[in-house]
Amino acid sequence: MISKTYAPQEIEEKWYQYWLDNQFFKSTPDEREPYTVVIPPPNVTGVLHMGHMLNNTIQDVLIRKARMEGKNACWVPGTDHASIATEAKVVAMLKERGISKQDLTREEFLEYAWEWTHKYGGIILKQLRKLGASCDWDRTRFTMEPALYDSVIDVFVDLYNKGQIYRGVRMVNWDPQGRTAVSDEEVITKEIQQKLVYIRYEIAESKGADGENTLSPLSSAPSYITIATVRPETIMADAAIAVNPNDERYKHLHGRKAIIPLINREIPIITDEYVTMDFGTGGLKVTPAHDPNDYTLGIKHNLPVLDIIDEDGTLNEKAQILVGTDRFAARKAIIKMLEESGHLVKTEDYKSNVGTSERTGAVIEPKLSLQWFLKMGDLSKPALKNVMDDTIKLFPPKFKNMYRSWMENVHDWCISRQLWWGQRIPAFYMQDGTMIVAKNKHEALEKVQHEMLLFAMTEADLTQDEDVLDTWFSSWLWPMSVFDGLKDPDNADINYYYPTNDLVTAPEILFFWVARMIIAGYEYRGQEPFKNVYLTGIVRDKIGRKMSKSLGNSPDPLDLIDKYGADGVRTGMLFSSAAGNDLMFDEKLVEQGRNFSNKIWNAFRLIKGWKIDESSTSESNSSELAIQWFESKLNATLLQIEDDFSKFRISDALQAVYKLIWDDFCSQYLELIKPGFEQPIDRATYEATINFFERLMGLAHPFMPFITEEIWQDIRERSAGDSICIAPFPKAGSVNNQTLSDFDLLFDVITNIRNIRNAKQISPKVALPLAIKTPSSDRFKPLESLIRKMANVSDIHYVQDKALGIAFLIKSDEFFVNIVGEIDIEQEIITTRKELEYNVGFRESTLKKLSNDKFVANAKPEVVDRERQKLADADAKIQALTQRLQDLGM
């Protein structure tokens, strides 16, 4: 007995466990065509959020469809060790226990990190099961597990030996709270309100050859220059003041020196066309140690670099003043000191973009730091070429321009992080600073002994680099390392599953992860890591804000699943998620998804509740026509859906499934073939309908796995171990376009007649006669039985001229519904005359306005066009109302 209402909570866990018990998600190499997807590994510290929901739903749709198509579908799950985020979590945990990281050895800290990972690391993967994710869980990988760890180290050593990795001092994004360099993608730019501070720098007196002061060539010119900055706390690190050589205001200062306020250090005034004359005062303080653009300017002009900010964001002794003060506290103090010394001209409120650390929220400090770098110039060339020539296709293709821009201007990659959690850089130092790069300390010692002939050296004489590698340096190997393709380059898995098929990810990591995976793929396998990249949009709230915990605008996905069911959430997420476009999430979408599940459930209950007339083996003529129509409709939709999938229009594919089931099957087909009240249905029509429903469940399964499994199992007897998971995905058959066209006409006729009933408040139980004026009555005759049934028409006859009744037009065919006797004629005449009088008056006022030459000449063209359209609409209504009065006998 089928329950009255669909209760997803009662079936989801049941069927997911059934799928696991029968190993439907498990994949091993065989003779079938592989279809492979690797999950973008979520942070091991993470929990499911709305972005994960969208991304993983799309992956599951693709995987489930491929599995039903008979491919060997393999979806590899796993997590990323997330160096910065995880270390921050562990430090916070230790703080709660009264333990400071600084009081621990590296080994002790790592024990706590592994404790955290083992306790929380699997949460997000377990949550994905609630969503219905059909991953091969036996293949779950973790970027810090021994095999993947070793692969990362091997790649580092290999690239170093190839001369691609080097160590040097460069400008990096520094997180003072995390005390580590961070990558560009871990910097979140925020617009904040700041103070633009105008500072007066005195001009140093010029000295002649004899040491005497000399007059300025423009003695009347000011003896100072004013500079505007949002970072007054860095003036102590100034190396120069720059002006544009074409700026007439400052030509008298070329070659002179200025004096830094408060510390009275002299710096040169240099000229460079980089300086924008119309921004601020047209003068620029150049601080090479604390701004990337200033650093470039400093190299060009051979300026000294003075780093006055320590790793924790406090001023150091090189600042001379406010030593040990936090940079932002120092900013306030400096402004006050400048005011007291007479060097503060003014301050202005100023909005500017500031980089913040994604992990800690701290404001990023541009900082010169000794780091490890990977040369990207030559390595990136195959990755650029093979995306531009569509060997690897991006969906939507608009992202190719962004990709090309990034890759043509690629910078060396800072791959080191000042953390303890992560793959430790395999560089070892002798006491004299000599560096050896090797896989481990034992191999490093062998190098020392055999290549440098220092046989007395021991491992105790070697010290390993303290830094770890950027997390992306492990995840860029993901499509290969999950199949042990670096550790064992010729194993069965890597040879079968690589390259993978489709990658589903977010556009914001197109360069930082996707491009790097492509680079690694060509470097270590000589081919692309995947064939297609589907780029999802960002999930935003209904007013356009990006969902985040801090804003409190992101619902808990698990709460949504509990409330609406996993299928409801999946379809709700996909209803408005076109590739590359942001999704404006509204819980009403998920409610719509749940309603879709209920619609399917109720349709199934209706069909299963019909009694079957076993004595009648052939369907009626009307049912036969309906079956022929829906067969063509289903096949046409299947063709459309296959085209949508080929272009990664997943949302469009779901919309097509939704319309086919809700509108075409439930609202149209079932009404066409439904037996009368308490009447049986013939066996042939019933079997055709059940077969349709089974195919529809197969079509909907990738989107809605749980309800489709529940219904599919109930449609007919199944063998043990059967599942819709592995049932064939429906294939399109022939499409009779004439039948589709005829039924479009049929539904238009039915809709018009029903609208007339509603407008005139005539009961659906009252049969109405219909006259049709058409040159092709043969087209309508096969549809007559369906028109009678669906519109409750008592009689259909064909006429050469207009007939009595309310008329409507469909293309060149005219229809007349005779409602005489079913309405109050006198009242209808009164109502129609009033409507006619109103439209005549409206037409006259509109015509008067258009007859006014001044109005036509002076009004905007679109306003005039709108008035002309009103006139045309009024003419059409007057004509229709006049005809209605004639039909009513007036």
Side-chain angles (χ1 to χ4, degrees):
M1 185 70 179
I2 304 167
S3 62
K4 185 176 181 180
T5 57
Y6 174 58
Q9 294 78 9
E10 296 175 9
I11 70 157
E12 288 175 356
E13 187 173 342
K14 172 185 74 175
W15 287 120
Y16 200 87
Q17 191 59 51
Y18 177 79
W19 296 331
L20 292 178
D21 292 344
N22 286 277
Q23 298 188 324
F24 293 130
F25 308 157
K26 187 175 180 60
S27 176
T28 54
D30 59 25
E31 71 287 348
R32 289 175 294 168
E33 175 189 348
Y35 177 81
T36 316
V37 172
V38 293
I39 202 169
N43 288 353
V44 72
T45 60
V47 293
L48 204 61
H49 59 60
M50 298 303 285
H52 291 134
M53 293 283 284
L54 174 62
N55 185 283
N56 287 284
T57 295
I58 292 169
Q59 290 177 82
D60 196 45
V61 168
L62 296 173
I63 276 286
R64 286 182 179 273
K65 181 173 182 287
R67 189 180 290 120
M68 295 176 74
E69 290 172 331
K71 297 172 185 174
N72 191 343
C74 179
W75 185 9
V76 182
T79 50
D80 186 283
H81 64 279
S83 293
I84 297 174
T86 303
E87 186 145 328
K89 294 276 190 182
V90 176
V91 168
M93 176 189 75
L94 291 172
K95 188 176 181 180
E96 289 178 1
R97 299 182 186 181
I99 303 170
S100 170
K101 177 187 173 183
Q102 282 69 35
D103 296 333
L104 300 175
T105 65
R106 188 185 194 110
E107 288 68 28
E108 288 170 339
F109 178 82
L110 289 176
E111 285 183 15
Y112 285 113
W114 278 110
E115 175 192 326
W116 172 275
T117 300
H118 292 318
K119 185 175 181 179
Y120 298 104
I123 289 177
I124 194 166
L125 298 183
K126 290 176 182 175
Q127 291 175 329
L128 285 176
R129 299 179 184 219
K130 292 278 189 182
L131 184 65
S134 58
C135 301
D136 184 347
W137 298 109
D138 293 339
R139 290 185 174 274
T140 303
R141 307 305 297 261
F142 177 45
T143 51
M144 279 284 281
E145 67 177 86
L148 272 66
Y149 190 112
D150 289 347
S151 294
V152 172
I153 300 303
D154 287 342
V155 165
F156 182 96
V157 173
D158 176 66
L159 290 171
Y160 178 83
N161 291 336
K162 289 175 178 175
Q164 299 289 355
I165 288 179
Y166 65 93
R167 191 175 186 232
V169 176
R170 299 286 187 275
M171 182 72 71
V172 298
N173 301 310
W174 186 263
D175 179 345
Q177 186 172 327
R179 299 195 188 189
T180 179
V182 297
S183 56
D184 288 346
E185 80 283 356
E186 291 163 325
V187 176
I188 306 299
T189 300
K190 296 180 180 178
E191 186 179 67
I192 65 172
Q193 190 74 41
Q194 299 195 90
K195 293 288 184 184
L196 189 60
V197 182
Y198 289 77
I199 306 170
R200 177 178 292 156
Y201 289 65
E202 304 295 338
I203 304 302
E205 294 180 345
S206 295
K207 302 288 184 179
D210 58 359
E212 294 296 319
N213 293 340
T214 60
L215 293 175
S216 165
L218 296 173
S219 57
S220 63
S223 60
Y224 61 85
I225 183 170
T226 300
I227 302 300
T229 179
V230 293
R231 299 205 65 192
E233 73 277 10
T234 64
I235 62 172
M236 296 82 76
D238 287 352
I241 286 175
V243 296
N244 192 295
N246 303 310
D247 195 330
E248 294 291 340
R249 294 172 294 176
Y250 302 123
K251 284 197 172 180
H252 67 290
L253 297 179
H254 294 185
R256 299 287 296 274
K257 290 189 176 182
I259 302 171
I260 301 175
L262 306 182
I263 63 170
N264 297 321
R265 178 163 56 82
E266 291 188 2
I267 54 175
I269 298 174
I270 63 174
T271 61
D272 198 290
E273 291 190 349
Y274 167 77
V275 181
T276 304
M277 288 189 285
D278 58 0
F279 177 76
T281 65
L284 175 73
K285 65 188 283 299
V286 184
T287 316
H290 299 291
D291 183 276
N293 296 317
D294 289 7
Y295 179 66
T296 302
L297 207 56
I299 293 173
K300 180 178 177 181
H301 292 273
N302 197 27
L303 298 175
V305 178
L306 189 65
D307 186 350
I308 65 166
I309 298 180
D310 272 346
E311 293 181 353
D312 61 354
T314 60
L315 271 58
N316 60 34
E317 67 281 353
K318 294 177 185 177
Q320 301 182 43
I321 56 176
L322 300 174
V323 176
T325 306
D326 178 78
R327 56 193 168 146
F328 296 116
R331 179 178 297 180
K332 293 180 181 178
I334 289 283
I335 293 174
K336 186 176 181 181
M337 292 167 71
L338 288 169
E339 185 177 19
E340 292 172 348
S341 66
H343 290 94
L344 179 67
V345 178
K346 63 177 180 177
T347 63
E348 292 177 349
D349 288 336
Y350 179 72
K351 280 187 177 179
S352 64
N353 292 322
V354 173
T356 61
S357 171
E358 181 183 29
R359 304 304 179 193
T360 67
V363 173
I364 291 297
E365 184 65 43
K367 184 175 177 61
L368 283 172
S369 181
L370 180 62
Q371 302 284 347
W372 289 87
F373 295 88
L374 174 62
K375 298 176 183 177
M376 297 290 280
D378 291 335
L379 283 176
S380 63
K381 288 177 181 175
L384 174 59
K385 175 185 177 298
N386 286 281
V387 170
M388 290 303 101
D389 67 13
D390 286 335
T391 300
I392 301 168
K393 293 181 179 178
L394 304 184
F395 293 89
K398 67 180 181 181
F399 286 106
K400 283 179 70 174
N401 289 333
M402 181 192 298
Y403 182 90
R404 180 175 60 221
S405 175
W406 277 334
M407 298 297 282
E408 287 178 346
N409 298 282
V410 69
H411 299 292
D412 289 355
W413 175 10
C414 177
I415 57 174
S416 48
R417 298 290 181 265
Q418 289 62 58
L419 302 164
W420 282 350
W421 175 246
Q423 293 94 355
R424 193 171 178 181
I425 288 177
F428 303 87
Y429 302 95
M430 295 165 54
Q431 291 179 358
D432 64 359
T434 302
M435 183 180 70
I436 304 98
V437 170
K439 185 171 182 179
N440 50 48
K441 190 176 279 191
H442 176 72
E443 290 189 10
L445 180 62
E446 285 189 344
K447 278 191 172 186
V448 170
Q449 291 178 335
H450 294 93
E451 295 178 15
M452 300 180 187
L453 304 180
L454 298 174
F455 296 106
M457 292 278 286
T458 67
E459 289 187 10
D461 297 315
L462 296 174
T463 304
Q464 187 170 355
D465 197 299
E466 289 294 322
D467 290 354
V468 298
L469 285 158
D470 177 14
T471 301
W472 297 103
F473 198 82
S474 57
S475 59
W476 79 319
L477 307 174
W478 188 248
M480 295 178 287
S481 61
V482 295
F483 298 115
D484 294 324
L486 295 149
K487 178 183 174 185
D488 183 7
D490 200 34
N491 76 77
D493 275 2
I494 193 72
N495 288 336
Y496 181 73
Y497 293 114
Y498 190 94
T500 66
N501 293 76
D502 302 324
L503 178 76
V504 181
T505 190
E508 56 261 36
I509 55 173
L510 176 58
F511 174 71
F512 304 107
W513 186 47
V514 178
R516 288 170 179 170
M517 284 191 287
I518 298 172
I519 290 169
Y522 281 102
E523 179 68 14
Y524 288 101
R525 298 294 299 180
Q527 63 184 137
E528 70 279 5
F530 27 71
K531 298 178 177 68
N532 303 298
V533 180
Y534 178 98
L535 297 158
T536 68
I538 296 170
V539 182
R540 299 184 181 276
D541 63 19
K542 57 187 175 183
I543 60 173
R545 300 176 303 171
K546 185 176 179 179
M547 287 190 166
S548 70
K549 289 181 181 177
S550 60
L551 288 175
N553 63 344
S554 180
D556 185 329
L558 296 183
D559 289 345
L560 290 176
I561 289 174
D562 287 341
K563 185 175 180 181
Y564 297 104
D567 292 329
V569 175
R570 288 165 66 110
T571 51
M573 293 293 294
L574 290 178
F575 274 136
S576 60
S577 59
N581 294 327
D582 291 352
L583 183 156
M584 300 302 175
F585 179 80
D586 188 328
E587 195 165 324
K588 289 179 180 177
L589 290 168
V590 180
E591 188 176 346
Q592 182 185 355
R594 180 194 61 189
N595 293 344
F596 187 31
S597 293
N598 290 338
K599 185 75 171 179
I600 292 171
W601 187 257
N602 291 333
F604 184 57
R605 286 185 64 245
L606 173 69
I607 296 167
K608 293 291 278 189
W610 286 339
K611 294 178 181 178
I612 303 170
D613 181 359
E614 299 290 357
S615 64
S616 175
T617 55
S618 62
E619 67 268 21
S620 66
N621 180 59
S622 60
S623 293
E624 183 180 3
L625 287 172
I627 291 166
Q628 291 172 4
W629 164 72
F630 192 75
E631 179 70 35
S632 279
K633 193 69 180 179
L634 173 57
N635 289 333
T637 305
L638 281 166
L639 292 172
Q640 177 189 339
I641 288 169
E642 287 298 344
D643 184 61
D644 288 335
F645 269 106
S646 73
K647 296 179 174 72
F648 287 86
R649 295 196 301 241
I650 310 300
S651 181
D652 290 350
L654 174 60
Q655 292 285 0
V657 172
Y658 180 86
K659 183 182 182 304
L660 180 69
I661 293 177
W662 190 298
D663 295 342
D664 300 319
F665 185 77
C666 296
S667 299
Q668 304 286 26
Y669 173 78
L670 290 182
E671 290 298 314
L672 291 170
I673 58 98
K674 186 171 66 174
F677 181 65
E678 293 189 348
Q679 295 297 308
I681 192 170
D682 62 89
R683 168 63 69 178
T685 302
Y686 180 80
E687 288 298 333
T689 304
I690 280 291
N691 288 337
F692 282 146
F693 209 88
E694 186 169 14
R695 290 165 69 188
L696 290 174
M697 292 303 94
L699 183 56
H701 176 72
F703 304 98
M704 310 171 76
F706 292 107
I707 190 172
T708 52
E709 182 75 80
E710 176 77 5
I711 289 175
W712 186 88
Q713 294 283 353
D714 206 311
I715 281 177
R716 60 182 86 252
E717 286 289 323
R718 306 293 181 188
S719 302
D722 274 354
S723 172
I724 195 171
C725 278
I726 53 174
F729 191 77
K731 292 184 178 179
S734 61
V735 176
N736 187 322
N737 288 313
Q738 185 60 55
T739 297
L740 294 179
S741 177
D742 288 347
F743 269 72
D744 285 344
L745 174 60
L746 169 69
F747 296 132
D748 277 349
V749 172
I750 293 167
T751 299
N752 275 281
I753 295 174
R754 287 176 174 175
N755 288 343
I756 290 170
R757 284 183 184 276
N758 291 336
K760 302 306 175 187
Q761 298 182 331
I762 300 172
S763 169
K765 296 179 181 180
V766 175
L768 299 172
L770 175 68
I772 305 175
K773 181 175 177 287
T774 177
S776 54
S777 58
D778 289 345
R779 185 181 178 194
F780 288 95
K781 286 181 178 177
L783 303 174
E784 287 183 2
S785 59
L786 292 171
I787 294 173
R788 287 190 176 93
K789 178 178 182 179
M790 299 293 286
N792 194 8
V793 169
S794 59
D795 180 50
I796 299 174
H797 61 279
Y798 301 90
V799 296
Q800 299 298 317
D801 298 308
K802 293 183 182 297
L804 185 64
I806 295 179
F808 61 88
L809 195 67
I810 301 176
K811 294 183 179 179
S812 60
D813 298 319
E814 199 166 1
F815 302 80
F816 305 90
V817 181
N818 191 340
I819 60 173
V820 175
E822 304 301 334
I823 60 170
D824 185 333
I825 299 294
E826 288 185 9
Q827 184 58 47
E828 184 70 16
I829 290 171
I830 292 170
T831 303
T832 305
R833 277 177 171 166
K834 283 183 180 179
E835 193 174 349
L836 179 59
E837 287 171 8
Y838 169 80
N839 279 278
V840 168
F842 180 80
R843 180 185 183 280
E844 288 175 355
S845 65
T846 305
L847 189 59
K848 186 177 180 181
K849 190 182 290 186
L850 289 169
S851 300
N852 186 333
D853 293 338
K854 191 174 181 181
F855 168 76
V856 174
N858 296 326
K860 291 181 179 179
E862 57 267 27
V863 173
V864 176
D865 288 343
R866 195 156 53 241
E867 292 301 316
R868 286 174 177 154
Q869 183 60 51
K870 288 179 182 177
L871 182 64
D873 291 344
D875 284 336
K877 287 179 180 178
I878 289 168
Q879 184 179 355
L881 291 166
T882 302
Q883 180 63 50
R884 187 187 299 177
L885 286 172
Q886 291 177 7
D887 294 340
L888 292 168
M890 294 301 296

